[in-house]
Amino acid sequence: MRAKLFVLLFALITFTAILLDQSHPHPDRAIAVDMFNQAGDKVGVIVIQPVAQNRVLVTANMRELTTGFHGFHIHETGICEGDFTSANGHFDLHGHNHGEHSGDLPPLEADETGRAFLAVHTSRFHFSDLFDADGSSFIVHAGADNLANIPERYGGADATTLVNGDAGARVACGVIAEPQ
Protein backbone atom coordinates (compact mmCIF):
# COMPACT_ATOMS: atom_id res chain seq x y z
CA MET A 1 0.00 0.00 0.00
CA ARG A 2 2.82 2.38 0.89
CA ALA A 3 4.56 1.69 -2.45
CA LYS A 4 1.34 2.46 -4.36
CA LEU A 5 0.92 5.71 -2.44
CA PHE A 6 4.51 6.65 -3.23
CA VAL A 7 4.00 5.92 -6.97
CA LEU A 8 0.75 7.92 -6.98
CA LEU A 9 2.40 10.85 -5.21
CA PHE A 10 5.38 10.72 -7.60
CA ALA A 11 3.01 10.66 -10.61
CA LEU A 12 1.06 13.63 -9.23
CA ILE A 13 4.22 15.66 -8.66
CA THR A 14 5.53 14.79 -12.13
CA PHE A 15 2.21 15.70 -13.79
CA THR A 16 2.08 19.02 -11.90
CA ALA A 17 5.66 19.81 -12.89
CA ILE A 18 4.87 19.12 -16.56
CA LEU A 19 1.82 21.40 -16.45
CA LEU A 20 3.77 24.19 -14.78
CA ASP A 21 6.61 23.73 -17.23
CA GLN A 22 4.26 24.15 -20.20
CA SER A 23 2.48 27.19 -18.75
CA HIS A 24 5.62 29.24 -18.07
CA PRO A 25 8.00 30.56 -20.73
CA HIS A 26 11.49 29.14 -20.85
CA PRO A 27 14.65 31.22 -20.85
CA ASP A 28 15.88 28.88 -23.59
CA ARG A 29 13.28 30.50 -25.86
CA ALA A 30 15.50 33.55 -26.18
CA ILE A 31 15.62 35.08 -29.61
CA ALA A 32 18.29 37.24 -31.17
CA VAL A 33 17.18 40.15 -33.34
CA ASP A 34 19.72 41.48 -35.82
CA MET A 35 19.61 45.27 -36.10
CA PHE A 36 20.28 47.02 -39.43
CA ASN A 37 20.80 50.63 -40.42
CA GLN A 38 19.04 52.17 -43.42
CA ALA A 39 21.94 51.17 -45.69
CA GLY A 40 21.31 47.52 -44.75
CA ASP A 41 24.45 47.12 -42.63
CA LYS A 42 24.22 45.07 -39.44
CA VAL A 43 24.81 47.43 -36.51
CA GLY A 44 23.93 45.30 -33.53
CA VAL A 45 21.91 42.56 -31.96
CA ILE A 46 19.17 42.53 -29.36
CA VAL A 47 18.33 39.42 -27.37
CA ILE A 48 14.90 39.07 -25.85
CA GLN A 49 13.76 36.29 -23.56
CA PRO A 50 11.09 35.48 -21.01
CA VAL A 51 12.29 35.29 -17.43
CA ALA A 52 10.75 34.59 -14.03
CA GLN A 53 7.62 36.31 -12.75
CA ASN A 54 6.21 37.02 -16.24
CA ARG A 55 8.96 39.49 -17.04
CA VAL A 56 10.97 39.88 -20.21
CA LEU A 57 14.72 40.48 -20.38
CA VAL A 58 15.88 42.73 -23.23
CA THR A 59 19.63 42.95 -23.87
CA ALA A 60 20.85 45.36 -26.55
CA ASN A 61 24.36 45.49 -27.97
CA MET A 62 24.66 48.20 -30.64
CA ARG A 63 27.48 49.82 -32.59
CA GLU A 64 27.92 52.64 -35.11
CA LEU A 65 25.67 55.06 -33.20
CA THR A 66 26.47 58.72 -32.65
CA THR A 67 27.76 59.52 -29.17
CA GLY A 68 24.96 60.23 -26.70
CA PHE A 69 21.48 59.02 -25.91
CA HIS A 70 19.15 57.29 -28.37
CA GLY A 71 15.46 56.47 -28.09
CA PHE A 72 14.92 52.71 -27.94
CA HIS A 73 11.50 51.14 -28.41
CA ILE A 74 9.54 48.16 -29.58
CA HIS A 75 7.33 49.19 -32.49
CA GLU A 76 3.98 47.68 -33.40
CA THR A 77 4.78 46.15 -36.81
CA GLY A 78 7.49 43.70 -37.82
CA ILE A 79 8.57 45.45 -41.02
CA CYS A 80 11.89 47.29 -41.46
CA GLU A 81 11.85 48.98 -44.86
CA GLY A 82 13.17 52.32 -46.15
CA ASP A 83 13.34 54.87 -43.33
CA PHE A 84 11.77 52.28 -40.99
CA THR A 85 8.44 54.11 -40.70
CA SER A 86 7.06 50.77 -41.93
CA ALA A 87 7.40 49.62 -38.30
CA ASN A 88 4.60 52.09 -37.45
CA GLY A 89 4.18 53.50 -33.93
CA HIS A 90 5.26 52.28 -30.54
CA PHE A 91 4.00 48.89 -29.40
CA ASP A 92 1.32 49.47 -26.77
CA LEU A 93 -1.24 47.14 -25.25
CA HIS A 94 -3.23 49.72 -23.29
CA GLY A 95 -3.60 52.98 -25.27
CA HIS A 96 -1.09 54.96 -23.20
CA ASN A 97 0.91 58.03 -24.20
CA HIS A 98 4.67 57.90 -24.71
CA GLY A 99 6.64 57.14 -21.61
CA GLU A 100 4.03 54.56 -20.63
CA HIS A 101 3.78 52.59 -23.91
CA SER A 102 4.28 48.86 -23.44
CA GLY A 103 7.24 49.02 -25.84
CA ASP A 104 8.96 52.06 -24.32
CA LEU A 105 12.40 51.01 -23.14
CA PRO A 106 15.14 53.02 -21.42
CA PRO A 107 17.26 55.07 -23.82
CA LEU A 108 20.53 53.65 -25.10
CA GLU A 109 23.69 55.62 -24.36
CA ALA A 110 26.40 55.30 -27.00
CA ASP A 111 29.96 55.99 -25.92
CA GLU A 112 32.58 57.85 -27.99
CA THR A 113 33.21 54.67 -30.04
CA GLY A 114 29.53 54.46 -31.03
CA ARG A 115 28.82 51.39 -28.91
CA ALA A 116 25.84 51.05 -26.58
CA PHE A 117 24.87 48.22 -24.25
CA LEU A 118 21.71 47.91 -22.19
CA ALA A 119 20.07 45.11 -20.23
CA VAL A 120 16.62 45.66 -18.78
CA HIS A 121 13.78 43.59 -17.30
CA THR A 122 10.25 44.71 -18.08
CA SER A 123 6.80 43.57 -17.05
CA ARG A 124 4.95 45.91 -19.46
CA PHE A 125 4.25 43.01 -21.82
CA HIS A 126 4.63 39.25 -22.03
CA PHE A 127 7.02 37.59 -24.46
CA SER A 128 4.12 36.15 -26.48
CA ASP A 129 2.51 39.60 -26.93
CA LEU A 130 5.17 40.47 -29.51
CA PHE A 131 4.08 37.82 -31.99
CA ASP A 132 0.69 38.97 -33.26
CA ALA A 133 -0.34 38.75 -36.93
CA ASP A 134 1.87 41.64 -38.13
CA GLY A 135 4.72 41.07 -35.67
CA SER A 136 6.80 43.76 -33.99
CA SER A 137 10.24 45.30 -34.27
CA PHE A 138 12.96 47.08 -32.34
CA ILE A 139 13.83 50.64 -33.35
CA VAL A 140 16.78 52.78 -32.31
CA HIS A 141 16.27 56.51 -32.91
CA ALA A 142 18.81 59.18 -33.88
CA GLY A 143 18.25 61.33 -30.81
CA ALA A 144 17.57 61.30 -27.11
CA ASP A 145 14.11 60.33 -25.88
CA ASN A 146 12.47 62.64 -23.35
CA LEU A 147 9.93 59.92 -22.44
CA ALA A 148 7.25 62.66 -22.62
CA ASN A 149 8.64 64.03 -19.38
CA ILE A 150 7.94 67.74 -19.96
CA PRO A 151 6.73 69.46 -16.80
CA GLU A 152 3.67 71.72 -17.02
CA ARG A 153 5.79 74.72 -16.01
CA TYR A 154 7.47 74.37 -19.43
CA GLY A 155 4.15 74.12 -21.23
CA GLY A 156 3.76 70.36 -20.89
CA ALA A 157 4.20 67.72 -23.55
CA ASP A 158 2.94 68.47 -27.06
CA ALA A 159 1.32 65.93 -29.42
CA THR A 160 4.64 64.81 -30.95
CA THR A 161 6.21 64.22 -27.55
CA LEU A 162 3.18 62.21 -26.42
CA VAL A 163 3.62 59.92 -29.43
CA ASN A 164 7.38 59.40 -29.66
CA GLY A 165 9.31 61.47 -27.14
CA ASP A 166 10.97 63.63 -29.82
CA ALA A 167 13.61 60.96 -30.38
CA GLY A 168 13.99 61.84 -34.07
CA ALA A 169 14.67 59.69 -37.11
CA ARG A 170 14.85 55.91 -36.97
CA VAL A 171 18.46 54.83 -37.48
CA ALA A 172 18.28 51.08 -36.81
CA CYS A 173 15.56 48.45 -37.05
CA GLY A 174 15.23 44.73 -36.42
CA VAL A 175 12.21 42.45 -36.90
CA ILE A 176 11.25 40.38 -33.85
CA ALA A 177 10.52 36.89 -35.21
CA GLU A 178 8.77 34.19 -33.22
CA PRO A 179 11.12 31.43 -32.04
CA GLN A 180 10.85 28.18 -33.97
Side-chain angles (χ1 to χ4, degrees), residues 68-90:
F69 287 99
H70 296 269
F72 178 46
H73 314 107
I74 297 174
H75 281 244
E76 62 188 357
T77 305
I79 301 174
C80 293
E81 296 175 345
D83 62 359
F84 305 139
T85 57
S86 56
N88 292 316
H90 294 182

Side-chain angles (χ1 to χ4, degrees), residues 52-124:
Q53 300 174 343
N54 291 319
R55 298 177 70 80
V56 176
L57 174 62
V58 177
T59 307
N61 192 349
M62 299 293 299
R63 64 181 182 276
E64 298 182 27
L65 296 173
T66 58
T67 302
F69 287 99
H70 296 269
F72 178 46
H73 314 107
I74 297 174
H75 281 244
E76 62 188 357
T77 305
I79 301 174
C80 293
E81 296 175 345
D83 62 359
F84 305 139
T85 57
S86 56
N88 292 316
H90 294 182
F91 172 75
D92 189 47
L93 298 170
H94 308 291
H96 292 129
N97 286 326
H98 185 60
E100 296 297 323
H101 290 143
S102 305
D104 289 343
L105 297 167
L108 294 170
E109 183 181 13
D111 64 18
E112 62 280 348
T113 69
R115 294 192 168 273
F117 178 83
L118 174 75
V120 63
H121 282 107
T122 182
S123 60
R124 290 186 173 189

